[in-house]
Amino acid sequence: MSSRSQTGFNERRVIFSSFKASLLALGTISLFTHSPTYATSIPESPLPIRLIINNWTSQIVMTEILGKIYHDKGYTVEYKELASKDQWAHLHRGLAHIQVEVWQGTMSEDLARTSALGQVIEAGDHDALTREEWWYPSYVEERCPGLPDWQALKKCAVLFSDSSTSPKGRYVAGPWEKPERARIRALEMDFVVKPVKVADDLWIELNKAYTEKAPIVLFNWSPNWIEDRFDGEFVEFPEYDPKCETDPTWGVNSTRLYDCGNPKNGWLKKVTWVQTEQEWPCAHAILNDMNFDNAMISQIAAYVDADGMTHTQAADKWISDNTALISTWGAETCSK
C-alpha cells in the first residue's frame, strides 16, 4: 500500500471511529433522557396499545373510533376480542390495556374486585347514564294490564311461554353473566331464562315478535339504538339498593338476595391498565377526554344495527362528522 493510500485509510478510520463514538454518545443520551412520563414525541413507546373488543355494537364501534384516533397519532394498535368476564384478568396482567365501555349494571363487581388489586384504574365517566333491565314492546300492555309493574308481569308469565318453557314464561337474556335466575327465584316468578349466544340475536328475537305482535320480554339497555326504532318500556322491579345483593333480609323476600331491579341512571366508565399513562401519556389523555352521551352512543349503534353499516364504516363516519370534537381530546398532553 502506498504512503498516500495509507494516509487516506488512516483518515477514514479516524472519521469512522469519531462517527461511532458519536452514535454511542447519542444512544447513551437517549437511554438516560427518555422517560415515558412525558409526551415529548408520539408515539412515546413502540409497544402496541391493546384495545378490548366486547360483543355488542356500541362498544365495538367506540373501540374502533379510539383505535383509529390512536393510529392517526402514530400508535400501533391491536384489538383483543374478550368476553366481559375474561377482560379483567387481561387488564390486570397488562395483556390488554383499555376498555372504553364499562357498564355499572353488568361490570361493577368485577371492576371493584380488579381495581382493589391495584393494576386497573378508571379513566373517567362518560356523560351517558345507563340502564339495563327487562324490556317489552308497548303493545304487550294490552294483553298484560298493569305493566310495567313487575307484579303484573308475574301474573302474566304464561303469556310469554313457548314450547321450550311452557307453562312458564320465557325471558330472553343477553349473552352476559347476570343474576337473572337469582332474581326470578327471589321474586318467585314463573319464568325461564333463555340466553342468546350473541347480542345481535336479541334484536332478531325482538323483530320477529314485533312483526307478529307476539308477547316478548327480553334484556335491553339504554343507551341503545332500539329506543329510537321500537316503542317499549322497561319492567319496573323493586328499586335497587346495594343491600339487595348482600343482605337477604332486605327487600320483599327476607330469605333471598337479588329481590330488586338493576340500578337506574347507572354510570358508564372507561378503564385502563395502571401503566398506560406512563407508557403512552398522549393516548391516556385522549382516553380521559373521550366522552359520549346517550344520543351519541345510540347513534353509533344505529349506524350498524339499523342502517347496516359495518363497525368500521360506522367508526369512520362518526370520526368524519366529529373532527373538531376529537381534536380537543388529549390536546394539552399530546402537544408537549
Side-chain angles (χ1 to χ4, degrees):
M1 180 180 294
S2 69
S3 61
R4 187 174 182 179
S5 298
Q6 181 66 47
T7 300
F9 174 77
N10 289 336
E11 289 175 351
R12 289 192 297 272
R13 184 171 60 183
V14 170
I15 291 171
F16 177 74
S17 297
S18 299
F19 178 66
K20 182 167 68 174
S22 297
L23 286 178
L24 289 172
L26 285 172
T28 302
I29 292 171
S30 177
L31 176 65
F32 286 101
T33 60
H34 172 70
S35 170
T37 304
Y38 302 98
T40 54
S41 62
I42 302 171
E44 308 91 345
S45 168
L47 296 175
I49 304 176
R50 299 188 181 97
L51 307 182
I52 292 173
I53 291 279
N54 288 149
N55 61 343
W56 67 94
T57 302
S58 62
Q59 199 278 342
I60 297 171
V61 176
M62 201 185 302
T63 302
E64 288 206 21
I65 288 171
L66 183 62
K68 288 174 179 291
I69 294 170
Y70 284 168
H71 184 268
D72 287 345
K73 289 289 187 182
Y75 292 108
T76 300
V77 177
E78 294 180 0
Y79 298 97
K80 291 187 69 70
E81 294 186 14
L82 295 170
S84 57
K85 280 292 183 182
D86 297 335
Q87 64 191 355
W88 305 103
H90 284 74
L91 284 164
H92 174 73
R93 296 185 178 96
L95 301 175
H97 306 128
I98 291 171
Q99 209 312 24
V100 299
E101 196 176 317
V102 175
W103 288 62
Q104 180 175 357
T106 52
M107 303 184 197
S108 58
E109 292 182 6
D110 288 325
L111 174 59
R113 182 169 54 251
T114 311
S115 297
L117 300 176
Q119 298 302 306
V120 176
I121 60 173
E122 297 178 13
D125 287 13
H126 292 286
D127 283 344
L129 296 176
T130 68
R131 187 173 185 186
E132 301 171 320
E133 196 56 271
W134 294 28
W135 185 96
Y136 63 89
S138 293
Y139 61 76
V140 175
E141 293 179 359
E142 297 178 6
R143 300 176 61 182
C144 186
L147 286 174
D149 187 87
W150 70 275
Q151 295 182 80
L153 181 68
K154 180 177 178 178
K155 294 176 182 177
C156 295
V158 68
L159 184 66
F160 300 89
S161 66
D162 68 3
S163 59
S164 67
T165 66
S166 184
K168 295 185 176 183
R170 180 182 69 136
Y171 165 65
V172 184
W176 313 286
E177 290 293 330
K178 290 179 66 68
E180 305 285 17
R181 293 177 178 84
R183 177 192 287 178
I184 288 171
R185 287 194 298 270
L187 296 179
E188 299 176 345
M189 301 177 72
D190 288 330
F191 275 86
V192 176
V193 176
K194 290 291 185 176
V196 296
K197 293 183 179 179
V198 295
D200 286 348
D201 288 345
L202 287 169
W203 319 135
I204 294 173
E205 293 284 344
L206 174 58
N207 190 62
K208 179 181 177 182
Y210 211 89
T211 300
E212 300 173 355
K213 293 294 185 286
I216 186 172
V217 60
L218 71 162
F219 180 78
N220 195 6
W221 61 89
S222 177
N224 185 8
W225 71 275
I226 289 297
E227 60 201 80
D228 291 328
R229 307 298 170 100
F230 293 88
D231 186 25
E233 299 288 340
F234 287 112
V235 176
E236 298 296 342
F237 288 104
E239 288 292 322
Y240 174 82
D241 187 285
K243 292 180 181 178
C244 175
E245 300 176 352
T246 59
D247 182 3
T249 64
W250 180 94
V252 298
N253 188 328
S254 61
T255 63
R256 290 188 180 275
L257 301 175
Y258 296 107
D259 50 346
C260 65
N262 291 325
K264 300 176 183 178
N265 297 322
W267 45 252
L268 190 68
K269 295 181 182 291
K270 302 155 289 179
V271 301
T272 182
W273 178 48
V274 70
Q275 294 297 321
T276 298
E277 184 174 12
Q278 287 70 41
E279 197 70 49
W280 309 281
C282 171
H284 182 77
I286 290 170
L287 176 65
N288 268 324
D289 288 347
M290 181 184 192
N291 185 6
F292 280 70
D293 61 23
N294 288 64
M296 293 159 72
I297 293 174
S298 298
Q299 182 184 57
I300 61 174
Y303 287 157
V304 177
D305 293 326
D307 300 333
M309 293 185 187
T310 66
H311 299 113
T312 299
Q313 288 170 337
D316 287 338
K317 175 171 174 51
W318 192 88
I319 289 172
S320 177
D321 292 343
N322 293 274
T323 54
L325 174 62
I326 292 168
S327 69
T328 67
W329 292 353
E332 182 177 351
T333 299
C334 297
S335 64
K336 290 181 180 178

